[in-house]
Amino acid sequence: MTEVLGRPQRLHAMGQPHPSGVNAQLSAVMQFEGGAQAVVNTHVHSFTPTCAVIAGSAATLSVDGPFNMPGGFELRFPHGERLRYEEPPGGHFEGLHYEAAAVARSIAAGETESPQRLLASSIQTLEVADDIRRQLSIEFPGEGNQPA
């Protein structure tokens, strides 16, 4: 979502620890410039549909779950029209080869980033993830020993 909406102006995260020491559940609500909002949720208790929905004033895009793998999607317009793209659902590895090929092309060209996902975009997403972790007091092993 940060690729589309940028860095959130406001972020509120909630979480629940798991007895094993990892996060059992995590939710974050974000508000962006212009008033757009986003909600993310993840948990380890069970499987979820992992679908994605982007709702706007002109249309709503619904990506079939799991949204991070190959599959179909639908575009719905307020007047009722629907456009559907069908693609057989695939495994995670079936989409990753596109990323691997893009990285290989960038490396072969002597580039330090891919035009499909700029380094600044990746850093921005990781900074938002760090903001969420800070709000929930989540530290990875060894982080507490790092210089500020």
Side-chain angles (χ1 to χ4, degrees):
M1 102 216 64
T2 58
E3 183 77 17
V4 175
L5 298 172
R7 185 168 181 70
Q9 293 178 324
R10 294 177 61 197
L11 185 150
H12 181 72
M14 297 163 280
Q16 175 189 40
H18 189 273
S20 69
V22 298
N23 306 316
Q25 181 170 241
L26 183 146
S27 300
V29 178
M30 293 163 265
Q31 185 174 25
F32 298 84
E33 186 175 330
Q37 297 177 2
V39 178
V40 295
N41 180 274
T42 184
H43 70 88
V44 298
H45 298 296
S46 185
F47 292 101
T48 63
T50 59
C51 58
V53 175
I54 301 172
S57 56
T60 298
L61 174 67
S62 298
V63 182
D64 298 346
F67 72 87
N68 59 339
M69 298 182 197
F73 59 88
E74 183 173 84
L75 192 60
R76 291 183 225 153
F77 298 91
H79 60 275
E81 181 184 6
R82 292 177 177 216
L83 300 175
R84 176 85 190 154
Y85 173 78
E86 290 290 345
E87 180 176 284
H92 194 61
F93 64 90
E94 292 172 307
L96 289 177
H97 74 276
Y98 294 108
E99 290 182 45
V103 169
R105 284 191 299 273
S106 294
I107 291 170
E111 299 167 348
T112 58
E113 64 183 356
S114 166
Q116 289 84 12
R117 177 76 171 169
L118 299 178
L119 179 59
S121 296
S122 295
I123 289 171
Q124 179 175 258
T125 298
L126 292 170
E127 288 172 345
V128 172
D130 286 342
D131 289 347
I132 291 169
R133 291 190 314 114
R134 267 190 289 283
Q135 285 192 23
L136 300 177
S137 300
I138 297 170
E139 275 191 15
F140 292 137
E143 277 190 317
N145 302 328
Q146 300 296 320

